Amino acid sequence: MEWKTVITTIAVVSLCFLAIPIKIEPDNTESDLKLFKTYVEKFKKSYTRSPAEYEERFRKFQRSLRHIEEMNAKRTSKESARYGVTEFSDLSEDEFASSYLRPDLSSRGMRHLHHSHHHSHRHNRYDTKDGRADSSEKNRLRRSTTGLPVKFDWRETGFVTPVRNQMNCGACWAFSTVEVAETMFAINNGTLHTLSVQEMIDCAGNSNFGCNGGDICSLLMWLTVTQVKIKAETAYPMTWRTDSCQLKKEDLSSAGTFGVQIIDFTCDNFVDAEESLMATLVSHGPVAAAVNALSWQNYLGGIIQFHCDGGFKSLNHAVEIVGYDLSASVPFYIVRNSWGENFGDNGYLYLAAYGNLCGIANQVSSLDVA
């Protein structure tokens, strides 16, 4: 054997023992498929008899699994948000947004910025220059130096109705507004009634379009101008689609017909003033808020602290805020959603307070009822 051949052979063999980092992506197809089969059965998906759609949904489900892994890898504590398989995990991000979110909500919100019902609160002496309260300032809030209770939750009064499910009807704006009206009526009168969201879907004008979109402030303005009462749900039940308005003239004029009337409202901005938002929750009642819910697709529970743009232009959903907790290691808001009790924590989620996470403070509405 020639010496050149010997040297070449030794060099090749030596390379086999060198620690050369080669990243080999694991093939998760088999385990993912087992999870998907369980998922399809659990959520009673209807595409089992369509091989083409089944395959397409499986690929989207796989993308959700990888995203879930990434989100959970960034958790910083046991209180941090947890992500996992939900009924939405077989949807692409675009499908999720088009089915359950309203991308035009921010442009709608812009129309209300100069209205007389709109106020901008920017006097938070606890916030730092970057819009987040530092730990010492949060501790001062926890000691209630502002006069706020350390914890507050309207559910504990018994004045909050069960969580609803908007299904594929894009009327989050109606759900959140009616939910606030229910509790406000109960606060004033001591009795809790489930009110009609469907009435708002079918009847609300002022550029509201039923299951195809609307916004909280436009609905409240329409209700105060027209003095239409929100009827009980039993008198105007849900259909989860936009139908013809069933209101009659006698419904509008009859003093004997039960209904809740909105007599006043606000449509406020609490960016850099979130303790004022908390004060409103305590002293007045729950509020409806526009948010950015794009990152909630695979949310299971815990406090959302990151990965959620709070810009005004990112608003795409509406929810109800029913309380807060400043005693936790991460202070948070208690947020009621309208995606059913299987979403998050029995239909609720928790958003870290301060810093306008998910745009929670951009456009917040309180209301008064009669």
Side-chain angles (χ1 to χ4, degrees):
M1 182 181 293
E2 295 183 3
W3 64 271
K4 289 184 179 179
T5 303
V6 172
I7 293 174
T8 302
T9 302
I10 294 173
V12 171
V13 172
S14 298
L15 282 174
C16 295
F17 295 95
L18 291 176
I20 301 174
I22 301 175
K23 185 177 181 181
I24 301 176
E25 295 292 341
D27 184 359
N28 298 307
T29 302
E30 186 174 344
S31 60
D32 290 351
L33 189 56
K34 289 180 180 179
L35 284 173
F36 186 62
K37 289 178 179 178
T38 302
Y39 171 82
V40 169
E41 292 175 3
K42 177 181 178 180
F43 291 103
K44 297 179 173 59
K45 297 294 182 175
S46 62
Y47 42 75
T48 53
R49 296 183 180 179
S50 172
E53 185 177 3
Y54 192 90
E55 175 70 17
E56 179 187 358
R57 292 297 163 196
F58 173 58
R59 296 305 174 195
K60 291 174 181 178
F61 179 80
Q62 282 190 300
R63 285 195 285 273
S64 287
L65 290 179
R66 304 292 85 80
H67 183 252
I68 288 165
E69 291 169 358
E70 291 176 10
M71 296 289 275
N72 285 331
K74 296 174 182 177
R75 296 182 69 207
T76 57
S77 70
K78 63 180 181 180
E79 290 85 13
S80 295
R82 305 182 308 278
Y83 299 89
V85 171
T86 71
E87 64 177 304
F88 313 121
S89 296
D90 60 348
L91 302 176
S92 68
E93 188 176 271
D94 288 342
E95 286 175 323
F96 174 68
S98 62
S99 297
Y100 296 96
L101 306 179
R102 305 311 316 167
D104 64 340
L105 210 57
S106 60
S107 59
R108 286 176 164 277
M110 292 294 292
R111 298 182 306 179
H112 303 287
L113 295 181
H114 302 293
H115 193 271
S116 60
H117 289 284
H118 184 273
H119 307 92
S120 184
H121 302 265
R122 295 187 179 274
H123 49 267
N124 186 351
R125 62 184 180 279
Y126 299 105
D127 279 0
T128 55
K129 290 181 179 179
D130 66 356
R132 297 176 180 268
D134 64 27
S135 59
S136 63
E137 289 161 347
K138 289 178 183 177
N139 287 333
R140 291 172 66 189
L141 280 172
R142 291 192 188 105
R143 292 196 298 269
S144 298
T145 55
T146 61
L148 291 172
V150 174
K151 299 169 65 175
F152 195 85
D153 187 347
W154 277 106
R155 293 176 297 179
E156 296 176 357
T157 67
F159 289 163
V160 176
T161 55
V163 170
R164 293 175 167 94
N165 193 336
Q166 70 183 67
M167 310 295 279
N168 288 323
C169 174
C172 55
W173 53 277
F175 281 87
S176 55
T177 304
V178 169
E179 289 160 2
V180 174
E182 291 168 341
T183 299
M184 293 306 301
F185 184 84
I187 292 170
N188 291 350
N189 298 278
T191 55
L192 182 65
H193 295 270
T194 300
L195 302 178
S196 177
V197 175
Q198 190 66 44
E199 178 190 358
M200 303 298 99
I201 292 171
D202 294 347
C203 304
N206 197 24
S207 298
N208 291 302
F209 303 108
C211 290
N212 292 320
D215 69 272
I216 297 164
C217 298
S218 292
L219 173 57
L220 289 170
M221 194 175 300
W222 178 79
L223 284 165
T224 53
V225 170
T226 62
Q227 297 187 325
V228 168
K229 292 181 179 180
I230 308 175
K231 300 167 74 72
E233 187 173 76
T234 53
Y236 204 130
M238 279 298 300
T239 65
W240 290 277
R241 62 179 183 268
T242 308
D243 295 322
S244 299
C245 182
Q246 301 301 310
L247 289 182
K248 302 175 183 178
K249 288 184 179 180
E250 52 265 33
D251 293 327
L252 304 180
S253 59
S254 175
T257 303
F258 172 79
V260 174
Q261 186 175 341
I262 309 299
I263 58 174
D264 198 8
F265 72 94
T266 64
C267 195
D268 294 348
N269 181 302
F270 288 102
V271 175
D272 297 336
E274 291 186 36
E275 86 285 354
S276 294
L277 192 164
M278 296 174 196
T280 298
L281 286 168
V282 173
S283 64
H284 191 268
V287 296
V291 292
N292 171 15
L294 189 59
S295 66
W296 301 359
Q297 182 175 356
N298 298 301
Y299 172 84
L300 294 182
I303 305 169
I304 298 174
Q305 301 168 253
F306 317 106
H307 324 300
C308 201
D309 176 29
F312 193 95
K313 292 183 178 180
S314 298
L315 300 178
N316 51 35
H317 189 47
V319 294
E320 181 188 20
I321 309 175
V322 300
Y324 62 84
D325 188 345
L326 301 178
S327 68
S329 59
V330 179
F332 61 86
Y333 294 107
I334 303 166
V335 178
R336 174 183 176 176
N337 203 2
S338 54
W339 295 342
E341 293 183 345
N342 290 328
F343 169 80
D345 185 357
N346 297 311
Y348 286 82
L349 67 147
Y350 309 104
L351 284 180
Y354 312 107
N356 190 33
L357 194 69
C358 297
I360 191 72
N362 276 311
Q363 193 165 69
V364 180
S365 292
S366 60
L367 53 94
D368 294 307
V369 304

